[in-house]
Amino acid sequence: MKYKRQREEMVKRQIVARGITDEKVITAMRSVPRHLFVSEALTDQAYGDFPLPIGEQQTISQPYIVAEMTQALQLSKKDRVLEIGTGSGYQAAIIAQIGYRVYTIERIHSLLLKARSLFDRLLYHNIITRYSDGTTGWADESPFDAIIITAGAPSIPETLVSQLAVGGRMVIPVGDQHSQELIKLHREKDGIHKTNLGGCRFVKLIGEQGWRE
Ligand code: SAH
């Protein structure tokens, strides 16, 4: 009950008040128990307006940025979505509430195991996980209706763009290690359209088409 109340406050003050309008995103943020995606020591801070550490020097994103990126994906319930950077699993769970299926890739095994067991416990049967370098995507399951990269890239990995369906949307933070711009790509019949959604700050995307370790 306590967490449900904190979640309602979070949605009201951080999500709706700041301009998120997609009802599907708002409903998902209202339902996913964010406090279960952080360590027990941090559950009381789970609904705060900031990112939190999840171990292995990685973070769960601030609630607003999760909502902003999800809204930018313009999801509908038949969409198959690829996520790079499972981390805590929170972003994947939000997408799983809205879309048809989520394919999520993580390069740190311990984080993936934790997220996987939470998906099982919360009955997210539509989240498929994989342990690998996500910068080269998931060719066997492509093309995707939407692709979300939740770590900062030095440039847009071309392989990921090639795994986007016509009509598909992608969001990715691009920049140096300290700050990035959130870029949205829309693949249409006549080519790729890019828009800049503004500044953000993510941990590094490490891999073949990302940063070197
Ligand atoms: N979406 C996550 C955010 C996690 S932070 C959440 O909701 O909690 C970013 C994650 O991206 C980290 O766990 C990091 O290990 C992972 N990551 C970085 N580079 C990666 C790569 N090349 N492939 C897969 N995961 C990667």
Side-chain angles (χ1 to χ4, degrees), residues 37 54 56 58-61 66 83-92 105-108 111 130 132-136 150-151 202-208 210:
F37 291 81
I54 54 171
E56 308 284 352
Q58 307 302 321
T59 52
I60 175 175
S61 303
V66 172
E83 180 193 34
I84 313 304
T86 315
S88 68
Y90 178 68
Q91 173 74 74
I105 306 178
E106 173 56 56
R107 66 180 285 278
I108 298 177
L111 293 179
R130 176 170 170 182
S132 75
D133 170 12
T135 62
T136 52
T150 62
F202 280 83
V203 297
K204 281 197 284 182
L205 180 75
I206 297 171
E208 203 178 303

PDB file of all heavy atoms in Angstrom, residues 37 54 56 58-61 66 83-92 105-108 111 130 132-136 150-151 202-208 210, ligand 1:
ATOM      1  N   PHE A  37      12.752  -3.487  -8.226  1.00  0.00           N
ATOM      2  CA  PHE A  37      13.861  -3.511  -9.169  1.00  0.00           C
ATOM      3  C   PHE A  37      15.142  -2.900  -8.593  1.00  0.00           C
ATOM      4  O   PHE A  37      16.138  -2.783  -9.296  1.00  0.00           O
ATOM      5  CB  PHE A  37      13.452  -2.800 -10.473  1.00  0.00           C
ATOM      6  CG  PHE A  37      12.411  -3.570 -11.254  1.00  0.00           C
ATOM      7  CD1 PHE A  37      11.073  -3.496 -10.918  1.00  0.00           C
ATOM      8  CD2 PHE A  37      12.786  -4.400 -12.317  1.00  0.00           C
ATOM      9  CE1 PHE A  37      10.107  -4.215 -11.629  1.00  0.00           C
ATOM     10  CE2 PHE A  37      11.840  -5.125 -13.027  1.00  0.00           C
ATOM     11  CZ  PHE A  37      10.488  -5.028 -12.682  1.00  0.00           C
ATOM     12  N   ILE A  54      22.465   0.013  -9.099  1.00  0.00           N
ATOM     13  CA  ILE A  54      21.948  -1.366  -9.078  1.00  0.00           C
ATOM     14  C   ILE A  54      23.077  -2.397  -8.974  1.00  0.00           C
ATOM     15  O   ILE A  54      22.870  -3.583  -9.188  1.00  0.00           O
ATOM     16  CB  ILE A  54      21.096  -1.673 -10.340  1.00  0.00           C
ATOM     17  CG1 ILE A  54      21.875  -1.378 -11.637  1.00  0.00           C
ATOM     18  CG2 ILE A  54      19.792  -0.871 -10.313  1.00  0.00           C
ATOM     19  CD1 ILE A  54      21.180  -1.847 -12.921  1.00  0.00           C
ATOM     20  N   GLU A  56      27.448  -3.363  -9.824  1.00  0.00           N
ATOM     21  CA  GLU A  56      28.310  -3.456 -11.021  1.00  0.00           C
ATOM     22  C   GLU A  56      28.510  -2.077 -11.663  1.00  0.00           C
ATOM     23  O   GLU A  56      28.711  -1.976 -12.874  1.00  0.00           O
ATOM     24  CB  GLU A  56      27.711  -4.419 -12.068  1.00  0.00           C
ATOM     25  CG  GLU A  56      27.347  -5.795 -11.548  1.00  0.00           C
ATOM     26  CD  GLU A  56      28.569  -6.689 -11.343  1.00  0.00           C
ATOM     27  OE1 GLU A  56      29.695  -6.301 -11.738  1.00  0.00           O
ATOM     28  OE2 GLU A  56      28.380  -7.771 -10.755  1.00  0.00           O
ATOM     29  N   GLN A  58      26.396   0.159 -12.349  1.00  0.00           N
ATOM     30  CA  GLN A  58      25.335   0.494 -13.295  1.00  0.00           C
ATOM     31  C   GLN A  58      24.182   1.151 -12.534  1.00  0.00           C
ATOM     32  O   GLN A  58      24.169   1.138 -11.307  1.00  0.00           O
ATOM     33  CB  GLN A  58      24.858  -0.771 -14.023  1.00  0.00           C
ATOM     34  CG  GLN A  58      25.994  -1.554 -14.679  1.00  0.00           C
ATOM     35  CD  GLN A  58      26.790  -0.724 -15.684  1.00  0.00           C
ATOM     36  OE1 GLN A  58      26.222   0.079 -16.426  1.00  0.00           O
ATOM     37  NE2 GLN A  58      28.099  -0.889 -15.699  1.00  0.00           N
ATOM     38  N   THR A  59      23.229   1.724 -13.278  1.00  0.00           N
ATOM     39  CA  THR A  59      22.127   2.424 -12.611  1.00  0.00           C
ATOM     40  C   THR A  59      20.778   2.094 -13.250  1.00  0.00           C
ATOM     41  O   THR A  59      20.704   1.740 -14.426  1.00  0.00           O
ATOM     42  CB  THR A  59      22.298   3.961 -12.701  1.00  0.00           C
ATOM     43  OG1 THR A  59      22.511   4.322 -14.066  1.00  0.00           O
ATOM     44  CG2 THR A  59      23.465   4.452 -11.870  1.00  0.00           C
ATOM     45  N   ILE A  60      19.725   2.215 -12.456  1.00  0.00           N
ATOM     46  CA  ILE A  60      18.353   2.194 -12.973  1.00  0.00           C
ATOM     47  C   ILE A  60      18.034   3.665 -13.250  1.00  0.00           C
ATOM     48  O   ILE A  60      18.298   4.535 -12.418  1.00  0.00           O
ATOM     49  CB  ILE A  60      17.375   1.559 -11.954  1.00  0.00           C
ATOM     50  CG1 ILE A  60      15.913   1.638 -12.426  1.00  0.00           C
ATOM     51  CG2 ILE A  60      17.483   2.166 -10.572  1.00  0.00           C
ATOM     52  CD1 ILE A  60      14.929   0.893 -11.491  1.00  0.00           C
ATOM     53  N   SER A  61      17.502   3.960 -14.438  1.00  0.00           N
ATOM     54  CA  SER A  61      17.269   5.352 -14.827  1.00  0.00           C
ATOM     55  C   SER A  61      16.206   6.023 -13.966  1.00  0.00           C
ATOM     56  O   SER A  61      15.337   5.364 -13.400  1.00  0.00           O
ATOM     57  CB  SER A  61      16.831   5.423 -16.290  1.00  0.00           C
ATOM     58  OG  SER A  61      17.784   4.826 -17.125  1.00  0.00           O
ATOM     59  N   VAL A  66      12.712   7.180 -18.150  1.00  0.00           N
ATOM     60  CA  VAL A  66      12.091   5.923 -18.585  1.00  0.00           C
ATOM     61  C   VAL A  66      10.789   6.235 -19.342  1.00  0.00           C
ATOM     62  O   VAL A  66      10.535   5.723 -20.436  1.00  0.00           O
ATOM     63  CB  VAL A  66      11.811   4.987 -17.382  1.00  0.00           C
ATOM     64  CG1 VAL A  66      10.994   3.774 -17.805  1.00  0.00           C
ATOM     65  CG2 VAL A  66      13.123   4.550 -16.730  1.00  0.00           C
ATOM     66  N   GLU A  83      15.493  -4.224 -26.551  1.00  0.00           N
ATOM     67  CA  GLU A  83      16.159  -3.317 -25.600  1.00  0.00           C
ATOM     68  C   GLU A  83      17.618  -3.742 -25.429  1.00  0.00           C
ATOM     69  O   GLU A  83      17.894  -4.916 -25.232  1.00  0.00           O
ATOM     70  CB  GLU A  83      15.483  -3.359 -24.218  1.00  0.00           C
ATOM     71  CG  GLU A  83      16.193  -2.413 -23.230  1.00  0.00           C
ATOM     72  CD  GLU A  83      15.819  -2.607 -21.773  1.00  0.00           C
ATOM     73  OE1 GLU A  83      15.557  -3.755 -21.357  1.00  0.00           O
ATOM     74  OE2 GLU A  83      15.818  -1.622 -21.023  1.00  0.00           O
ATOM     75  N   ILE A  84      18.528  -2.777 -25.479  1.00  0.00           N
ATOM     76  CA  ILE A  84      19.933  -3.052 -25.187  1.00  0.00           C
ATOM     77  C   ILE A  84      20.242  -2.449 -23.824  1.00  0.00           C
ATOM     78  O   ILE A  84      20.107  -1.235 -23.636  1.00  0.00           O
ATOM     79  CB  ILE A  84      20.880  -2.416 -26.244  1.00  0.00           C
ATOM     80  CG1 ILE A  84      20.405  -2.691 -27.682  1.00  0.00           C
ATOM     81  CG2 ILE A  84      22.308  -2.913 -26.030  1.00  0.00           C
ATOM     82  CD1 ILE A  84      20.221  -4.128 -28.040  1.00  0.00           C
ATOM     83  N   GLY A  85      20.657  -3.295 -22.875  1.00  0.00           N
ATOM     84  CA  GLY A  85      20.969  -2.830 -21.518  1.00  0.00           C
ATOM     85  C   GLY A  85      19.823  -3.128 -20.550  1.00  0.00           C
ATOM     86  O   GLY A  85      19.140  -2.226 -20.067  1.00  0.00           O
ATOM     87  N   THR A  86      19.632  -4.402 -20.244  1.00  0.00           N
ATOM     88  CA  THR A  86      18.550  -4.831 -19.344  1.00  0.00           C
ATOM     89  C   THR A  86      18.675  -4.182 -17.971  1.00  0.00           C
ATOM     90  O   THR A  86      17.670  -3.755 -17.387  1.00  0.00           O
ATOM     91  CB  THR A  86      18.578  -6.361 -19.144  1.00  0.00           C
ATOM     92  OG1 THR A  86      18.755  -7.001 -20.407  1.00  0.00           O
ATOM     93  CG2 THR A  86      17.303  -6.867 -18.471  1.00  0.00           C
ATOM     94  N   GLY A  87      19.895  -4.137 -17.437  1.00  0.00           N
ATOM     95  CA  GLY A  87      20.141  -3.561 -16.109  1.00  0.00           C
ATOM     96  C   GLY A  87      19.240  -4.190 -15.061  1.00  0.00           C
ATOM     97  O   GLY A  87      19.229  -5.399 -14.871  1.00  0.00           O
ATOM     98  N   SER A  88      18.458  -3.365 -14.379  1.00  0.00           N
ATOM     99  CA  SER A  88      17.541  -3.864 -13.339  1.00  0.00           C
ATOM    100  C   SER A  88      16.348  -4.608 -13.932  1.00  0.00           C
ATOM    101  O   SER A  88      15.677  -5.374 -13.245  1.00  0.00           O
ATOM    102  CB  SER A  88      17.002  -2.678 -12.535  1.00  0.00           C
ATOM    103  OG  SER A  88      16.144  -1.890 -13.356  1.00  0.00           O
ATOM    104  N   GLY A  89      16.036  -4.319 -15.201  1.00  0.00           N
ATOM    105  CA  GLY A  89      14.851  -4.909 -15.833  1.00  0.00           C
ATOM    106  C   GLY A  89      13.632  -4.005 -15.795  1.00  0.00           C
ATOM    107  O   GLY A  89      12.592  -4.324 -16.385  1.00  0.00           O
ATOM    108  N   TYR A  90      13.756  -2.852 -15.137  1.00  0.00           N
ATOM    109  CA  TYR A  90      12.586  -1.976 -14.976  1.00  0.00           C
ATOM    110  C   TYR A  90      12.054  -1.447 -16.320  1.00  0.00           C
ATOM    111  O   TYR A  90      10.854  -1.523 -16.591  1.00  0.00           O
ATOM    112  CB  TYR A  90      12.941  -0.812 -14.042  1.00  0.00           C
ATOM    113  CG  TYR A  90      11.810   0.173 -13.848  1.00  0.00           C
ATOM    114  CD1 TYR A  90      10.657  -0.197 -13.155  1.00  0.00           C
ATOM    115  CD2 TYR A  90      11.889   1.467 -14.357  1.00  0.00           C
ATOM    116  CE1 TYR A  90       9.615   0.707 -12.983  1.00  0.00           C
ATOM    117  CE2 TYR A  90      10.853   2.374 -14.178  1.00  0.00           C
ATOM    118  CZ  TYR A  90       9.722   1.990 -13.492  1.00  0.00           C
ATOM    119  OH  TYR A  90       8.697   2.881 -13.335  1.00  0.00           O
ATOM    120  N   GLN A  91      12.957  -0.928 -17.151  1.00  0.00           N
ATOM    121  CA  GLN A  91      12.517  -0.405 -18.444  1.00  0.00           C
ATOM    122  C   GLN A  91      11.857  -1.506 -19.292  1.00  0.00           C
ATOM    123  O   GLN A  91      10.837  -1.269 -19.941  1.00  0.00           O
ATOM    124  CB  GLN A  91      13.728   0.199 -19.187  1.00  0.00           C
ATOM    125  CG  GLN A  91      13.471   0.637 -20.610  1.00  0.00           C
ATOM    126  CD  GLN A  91      12.672   1.923 -20.711  1.00  0.00           C
ATOM    127  OE1 GLN A  91      13.175   3.007 -20.455  1.00  0.00           O
ATOM    128  NE2 GLN A  91      11.411   1.806 -21.108  1.00  0.00           N
ATOM    129  N   ALA A  92      12.431  -2.699 -19.263  1.00  0.00           N
ATOM    130  CA  ALA A  92      11.854  -3.818 -20.020  1.00  0.00           C
ATOM    131  C   ALA A  92      10.446  -4.136 -19.522  1.00  0.00           C
ATOM    132  O   ALA A  92       9.537  -4.409 -20.312  1.00  0.00           O
ATOM    133  CB  ALA A  92      12.750  -5.060 -19.907  1.00  0.00           C
ATOM    134  N   ILE A 105      18.784  -7.442 -24.022  1.00  0.00           N
ATOM    135  CA  ILE A 105      20.160  -7.964 -23.986  1.00  0.00           C
ATOM    136  C   ILE A 105      20.970  -7.234 -22.915  1.00  0.00           C
ATOM    137  O   ILE A 105      20.925  -6.005 -22.818  1.00  0.00           O
ATOM    138  CB  ILE A 105      20.855  -7.765 -25.357  1.00  0.00           C
ATOM    139  CG1 ILE A 105      20.007  -8.375 -26.484  1.00  0.00           C
ATOM    140  CG2 ILE A 105      22.261  -8.375 -25.337  1.00  0.00           C
ATOM    141  CD1 ILE A 105      20.601  -8.186 -27.882  1.00  0.00           C
ATOM    142  N   GLU A 106      21.724  -8.005 -22.117  1.00  0.00           N
ATOM    143  CA  GLU A 106      22.591  -7.424 -21.076  1.00  0.00           C
ATOM    144  C   GLU A 106      23.960  -8.087 -21.156  1.00  0.00           C
ATOM    145  O   GLU A 106      24.057  -9.283 -21.384  1.00  0.00           O
ATOM    146  CB  GLU A 106      21.938  -7.643 -19.694  1.00  0.00           C
ATOM    147  CG  GLU A 106      22.772  -7.248 -18.496  1.00  0.00           C
ATOM    148  CD  GLU A 106      23.254  -5.797 -18.507  1.00  0.00           C
ATOM    149  OE1 GLU A 106      22.417  -4.887 -18.615  1.00  0.00           O
ATOM    150  OE2 GLU A 106      24.482  -5.594 -18.427  1.00  0.00           O
ATOM    151  N   ARG A 107      25.021  -7.274 -20.967  1.00  0.00           N
ATOM    152  CA  ARG A 107      26.377  -7.823 -21.051  1.00  0.00           C
ATOM    153  C   ARG A 107      26.975  -8.202 -19.694  1.00  0.00           C
ATOM    154  O   ARG A 107      28.058  -8.780 -19.632  1.00  0.00           O
ATOM    155  CB  ARG A 107      27.314  -6.857 -21.793  1.00  0.00           C
ATOM    156  CG  ARG A 107      27.561  -5.560 -21.055  1.00  0.00           C
ATOM    157  CD  ARG A 107      28.484  -4.647 -21.837  1.00  0.00           C
ATOM    158  NE  ARG A 107      29.876  -5.085 -21.783  1.00  0.00           N
ATOM    159  CZ  ARG A 107      30.712  -4.818 -20.774  1.00  0.00           C
ATOM    160  NH1 ARG A 107      30.299  -4.119 -19.732  1.00  0.00           N
ATOM    161  NH2 ARG A 107      31.957  -5.241 -20.807  1.00  0.00           N
ATOM    162  N   ILE A 108      26.270  -7.871 -18.590  1.00  0.00           N
ATOM    163  CA  ILE A 108      26.767  -8.259 -17.261  1.00  0.00           C
ATOM    164  C   ILE A 108      25.873  -9.374 -16.713  1.00  0.00           C
ATOM    165  O   ILE A 108      24.677  -9.177 -16.470  1.00  0.00           O
ATOM    166  CB  ILE A 108      26.816  -7.049 -16.307  1.00  0.00           C
ATOM    167  CG1 ILE A 108      27.781  -6.001 -16.855  1.00  0.00           C
ATOM    168  CG2 ILE A 108      27.230  -7.484 -14.897  1.00  0.00           C
ATOM    169  CD1 ILE A 108      27.873  -4.719 -16.034  1.00  0.00           C
ATOM    170  N   LEU A 111      23.672  -9.117 -13.403  1.00  0.00           N
ATOM    171  CA  LEU A 111      22.501  -8.241 -13.528  1.00  0.00           C
ATOM    172  C   LEU A 111      21.397  -8.949 -14.303  1.00  0.00           C
ATOM    173  O   LEU A 111      20.215  -8.883 -13.944  1.00  0.00           O
ATOM    174  CB  LEU A 111      22.875  -6.930 -14.237  1.00  0.00           C
ATOM    175  CG  LEU A 111      23.821  -5.991 -13.492  1.00  0.00           C
ATOM    176  CD1 LEU A 111      24.122  -4.758 -14.335  1.00  0.00           C
ATOM    177  CD2 LEU A 111      23.233  -5.571 -12.140  1.00  0.00           C
ATOM    178  N   ARG A 130      18.729 -12.176 -23.084  1.00  0.00           N
ATOM    179  CA  ARG A 130      19.921 -12.737 -23.707  1.00  0.00           C
ATOM    180  C   ARG A 130      21.163 -12.095 -23.106  1.00  0.00           C
ATOM    181  O   ARG A 130      21.196 -10.885 -22.875  1.00  0.00           O
ATOM    182  CB  ARG A 130      19.862 -12.467 -25.211  1.00  0.00           C
ATOM    183  CG  ARG A 130      21.086 -12.915 -25.955  1.00  0.00           C
ATOM    184  CD  ARG A 130      20.815 -12.816 -27.447  1.00  0.00           C
ATOM    185  NE  ARG A 130      22.027 -13.010 -28.199  1.00  0.00           N
ATOM    186  CZ  ARG A 130      22.103 -12.949 -29.524  1.00  0.00           C
ATOM    187  NH1 ARG A 130      21.011 -12.666 -30.231  1.00  0.00           N
ATOM    188  NH2 ARG A 130      23.227 -13.139 -30.136  1.00  0.00           N
ATOM    189  N   SER A 132      24.656 -11.074 -23.887  1.00  0.00           N
ATOM    190  CA  SER A 132      25.666 -10.849 -24.931  1.00  0.00           C
ATOM    191  C   SER A 132      25.909  -9.355 -25.121  1.00  0.00           C
ATOM    192  O   SER A 132      25.362  -8.533 -24.396  1.00  0.00           O
ATOM    193  CB  SER A 132      25.237 -11.488 -26.263  1.00  0.00           C
ATOM    194  OG  SER A 132      24.234 -10.732 -26.887  1.00  0.00           O
ATOM    195  N   ASP A 133      26.740  -9.036 -26.102  1.00  0.00           N
ATOM    196  CA  ASP A 133      26.975  -7.653 -26.484  1.00  0.00           C
ATOM    197  C   ASP A 133      25.810  -7.222 -27.368  1.00  0.00           C
ATOM    198  O   ASP A 133      25.638  -7.742 -28.467  1.00  0.00           O
ATOM    199  CB  ASP A 133      28.308  -7.567 -27.239  1.00  0.00           C
ATOM    200  CG  ASP A 133      28.516  -6.202 -27.890  1.00  0.00           C
ATOM    201  OD1 ASP A 133      27.759  -5.254 -27.577  1.00  0.00           O
ATOM    202  OD2 ASP A 133      29.446  -6.092 -28.712  1.00  0.00           O
ATOM    203  N   GLY A 134      25.026  -6.272 -26.891  1.00  0.00           N
ATOM    204  CA  GLY A 134      23.838  -5.848 -27.629  1.00  0.00           C
ATOM    205  C   GLY A 134      24.100  -4.888 -28.778  1.00  0.00           C
ATOM    206  O   GLY A 134      23.189  -4.596 -29.550  1.00  0.00           O
ATOM    207  N   THR A 135      25.340  -4.397 -28.899  1.00  0.00           N
ATOM    208  CA  THR A 135      25.576  -3.396 -29.961  1.00  0.00           C
ATOM    209  C   THR A 135      25.416  -3.989 -31.359  1.00  0.00           C
ATOM    210  O   THR A 135      25.265  -3.251 -32.331  1.00  0.00           O
ATOM    211  CB  THR A 135      26.969  -2.718 -29.852  1.00  0.00           C
ATOM    212  OG1 THR A 135      27.987  -3.713 -30.001  1.00  0.00           O
ATOM    213  CG2 THR A 135      27.137  -2.013 -28.517  1.00  0.00           C
ATOM    214  N   THR A 136      25.431  -5.320 -31.446  1.00  0.00           N
ATOM    215  CA  THR A 136      25.214  -5.949 -32.753  1.00  0.00           C
ATOM    216  C   THR A 136      23.790  -6.499 -32.858  1.00  0.00           C
ATOM    217  O   THR A 136      23.458  -7.200 -33.810  1.00  0.00           O
ATOM    218  CB  THR A 136      26.257  -7.056 -33.028  1.00  0.00           C
ATOM    219  OG1 THR A 136      26.269  -7.946 -31.914  1.00  0.00           O
ATOM    220  CG2 THR A 136      27.649  -6.466 -33.203  1.00  0.00           C
ATOM    221  N   THR A 150      19.599   1.692 -23.671  1.00  0.00           N
ATOM    222  CA  THR A 150      19.567   2.405 -22.383  1.00  0.00           C
ATOM    223  C   THR A 150      20.965   2.599 -21.812  1.00  0.00           C
ATOM    224  O   THR A 150      21.167   2.595 -20.610  1.00  0.00           O
ATOM    225  CB  THR A 150      18.643   1.692 -21.365  1.00  0.00           C
ATOM    226  OG1 THR A 150      19.164   0.387 -21.117  1.00  0.00           O
ATOM    227  CG2 THR A 150      17.226   1.583 -21.878  1.00  0.00           C
ATOM    228  N   ALA A 151      21.942   2.772 -22.709  1.00  0.00           N
ATOM    229  CA  ALA A 151      23.306   3.128 -22.316  1.00  0.00           C
ATOM    230  C   ALA A 151      23.826   4.074 -23.391  1.00  0.00           C
ATOM    231  O   ALA A 151      23.373   4.037 -24.533  1.00  0.00           O
ATOM    232  CB  ALA A 151      24.177   1.873 -22.209  1.00  0.00           C
ATOM    233  N   PHE A 202      23.792   8.831 -19.341  1.00  0.00           N
ATOM    234  CA  PHE A 202      23.709   7.373 -19.147  1.00  0.00           C
ATOM    235  C   PHE A 202      25.088   6.777 -18.918  1.00  0.00           C
ATOM    236  O   PHE A 202      26.097   7.384 -19.272  1.00  0.00           O
ATOM    237  CB  PHE A 202      23.113   6.726 -20.414  1.00  0.00           C
ATOM    238  CG  PHE A 202      21.610   6.818 -20.489  1.00  0.00           C
ATOM    239  CD1 PHE A 202      20.999   7.963 -20.971  1.00  0.00           C
ATOM    240  CD2 PHE A 202      20.813   5.772 -20.068  1.00  0.00           C
ATOM    241  CE1 PHE A 202      19.610   8.062 -21.037  1.00  0.00           C
ATOM    242  CE2 PHE A 202      19.431   5.857 -20.134  1.00  0.00           C
ATOM    243  CZ  PHE A 202      18.833   6.996 -20.615  1.00  0.00           C
ATOM    244  N   VAL A 203      25.115   5.569 -18.377  1.00  0.00           N
ATOM    245  CA  VAL A 203      26.374   4.822 -18.299  1.00  0.00           C
ATOM    246  C   VAL A 203      26.754   4.403 -19.718  1.00  0.00           C
ATOM    247  O   VAL A 203      25.944   4.474 -20.642  1.00  0.00           O
ATOM    248  CB  VAL A 203      26.250   3.574 -17.376  1.00  0.00           C
ATOM    249  CG1 VAL A 203      25.950   3.985 -15.949  1.00  0.00           C
ATOM    250  CG2 VAL A 203      25.189   2.600 -17.894  1.00  0.00           C
ATOM    251  N   LYS A 204      28.002   3.957 -19.879  1.00  0.00           N
ATOM    252  CA  LYS A 204      28.520   3.672 -21.216  1.00  0.00           C
ATOM    253  C   LYS A 204      27.942   2.400 -21.847  1.00  0.00           C
ATOM    254  O   LYS A 204      27.792   1.373 -21.184  1.00  0.00           O
ATOM    255  CB  LYS A 204      30.045   3.503 -21.151  1.00  0.00           C
ATOM    256  CG  LYS A 204      30.792   4.798 -21.085  1.00  0.00           C
ATOM    257  CD  LYS A 204      32.257   4.608 -21.437  1.00  0.00           C
ATOM    258  CE  LYS A 204      33.040   3.965 -20.309  1.00  0.00           C
ATOM    259  NZ  LYS A 204      34.472   3.834 -20.628  1.00  0.00           N
ATOM    260  N   LEU A 205      27.685   2.475 -23.131  1.00  0.00           N
ATOM    261  CA  LEU A 205      27.379   1.303 -23.944  1.00  0.00           C
ATOM    262  C   LEU A 205      28.724   0.710 -24.362  1.00  0.00           C
ATOM    263  O   LEU A 205      29.480   1.343 -25.108  1.00  0.00           O
ATOM    264  CB  LEU A 205      26.571   1.710 -25.179  1.00  0.00           C
ATOM    265  CG  LEU A 205      26.178   0.578 -26.131  1.00  0.00           C
ATOM    266  CD1 LEU A 205      25.035  -0.241 -25.531  1.00  0.00           C
ATOM    267  CD2 LEU A 205      25.762   1.134 -27.491  1.00  0.00           C
ATOM    268  N   ILE A 206      29.024  -0.470 -23.852  1.00  0.00           N
ATOM    269  CA  ILE A 206      30.336  -1.058 -24.105  1.00  0.00           C
ATOM    270  C   ILE A 206      30.213  -2.246 -25.047  1.00  0.00           C
ATOM    271  O   ILE A 206      29.434  -3.161 -24.788  1.00  0.00           O
ATOM    272  CB  ILE A 206      30.990  -1.513 -22.775  1.00  0.00           C
ATOM    273  CG1 ILE A 206      31.227  -0.282 -21.885  1.00  0.00           C
ATOM    274  CG2 ILE A 206      32.292  -2.257 -23.023  1.00  0.00           C
ATOM    275  CD1 ILE A 206      31.670  -0.617 -20.481  1.00  0.00           C
ATOM    276  N   GLY A 207      30.956  -2.221 -26.142  1.00  0.00           N
ATOM    277  CA  GLY A 207      30.901  -3.357 -27.068  1.00  0.00           C
ATOM    278  C   GLY A 207      31.462  -3.025 -28.430  1.00  0.00           C
ATOM    279  O   GLY A 207      31.983  -1.927 -28.656  1.00  0.00           O
ATOM    280  N   GLU A 208      31.301  -3.997 -29.330  1.00  0.00           N
ATOM    281  CA  GLU A 208      31.866  -3.906 -30.675  1.00  0.00           C
ATOM    282  C   GLU A 208      31.486  -2.597 -31.380  1.00  0.00           C
ATOM    283  O   GLU A 208      32.317  -1.981 -32.028  1.00  0.00           O
ATOM    284  CB  GLU A 208      31.326  -5.092 -31.471  1.00  0.00           C
ATOM    285  CG  GLU A 208      32.168  -5.476 -32.652  1.00  0.00           C
ATOM    286  CD  GLU A 208      31.559  -6.693 -33.342  1.00  0.00           C
ATOM    287  OE1 GLU A 208      31.368  -7.732 -32.687  1.00  0.00           O
ATOM    288  OE2 GLU A 208      31.254  -6.568 -34.552  1.00  0.00           O
ATOM    289  N   GLY A 210      30.188   0.051 -29.707  1.00  0.00           N
ATOM    290  CA  GLY A 210      30.016   1.050 -28.652  1.00  0.00           C
ATOM    291  C   GLY A 210      31.392   1.505 -28.192  1.00  0.00           C
ATOM    292  O   GLY A 210      32.316   1.598 -29.000  1.00  0.00           O
TER     293      GLY A 210
HETATM  294  N1  SAH B   1      17.302  -0.342 -18.715  1.00  0.00           N
HETATM  295  C1  SAH B   1      18.005  -0.426 -17.470  1.00  0.00           C
HETATM  296  C2  SAH B   1      19.114   0.604 -17.362  1.00  0.00           C
HETATM  297  C3  SAH B   1      20.383  -0.082 -17.067  1.00  0.00           C
HETATM  298  S1  SAH B   1      21.865   0.866 -17.156  1.00  0.00           S
HETATM  299  C4  SAH B   1      17.055  -0.360 -16.294  1.00  0.00           C
HETATM  300  O1  SAH B   1      15.842  -0.128 -16.499  1.00  0.00           O
HETATM  301  O2  SAH B   1      17.474  -0.593 -15.167  1.00  0.00           O
HETATM  302  C5  SAH B   1      22.552   0.299 -18.663  1.00  0.00           C
HETATM  303  C6  SAH B   1      22.863  -1.177 -18.794  1.00  0.00           C
HETATM  304  O3  SAH B   1      23.410  -1.378 -20.090  1.00  0.00           O
HETATM  305  C7  SAH B   1      23.885  -1.709 -17.800  1.00  0.00           C
HETATM  306  O4  SAH B   1      23.339  -2.777 -17.099  1.00  0.00           O
HETATM  307  C8  SAH B   1      25.042  -2.174 -18.703  1.00  0.00           C
HETATM  308  O5  SAH B   1      25.712  -3.329 -18.237  1.00  0.00           O
HETATM  309  C9  SAH B   1      24.329  -2.446 -20.001  1.00  0.00           C
HETATM  310  N2  SAH B   1      25.158  -2.464 -21.201  1.00  0.00           N
HETATM  311  C10 SAH B   1      26.174  -1.635 -21.529  1.00  0.00           C
HETATM  312  N3  SAH B   1      26.684  -1.966 -22.730  1.00  0.00           N
HETATM  313  C11 SAH B   1      25.963  -3.040 -23.178  1.00  0.00           C
HETATM  314  C12 SAH B   1      26.002  -3.850 -24.355  1.00  0.00           C
HETATM  315  N4  SAH B   1      26.891  -3.649 -25.340  1.00  0.00           N
HETATM  316  N5  SAH B   1      25.115  -4.868 -24.472  1.00  0.00           N
HETATM  317  C13 SAH B   1      24.210  -5.114 -23.489  1.00  0.00           C
HETATM  318  N6  SAH B   1      24.128  -4.382 -22.356  1.00  0.00           N
HETATM  319  C14 SAH B   1      24.991  -3.357 -22.197  1.00  0.00           C
END
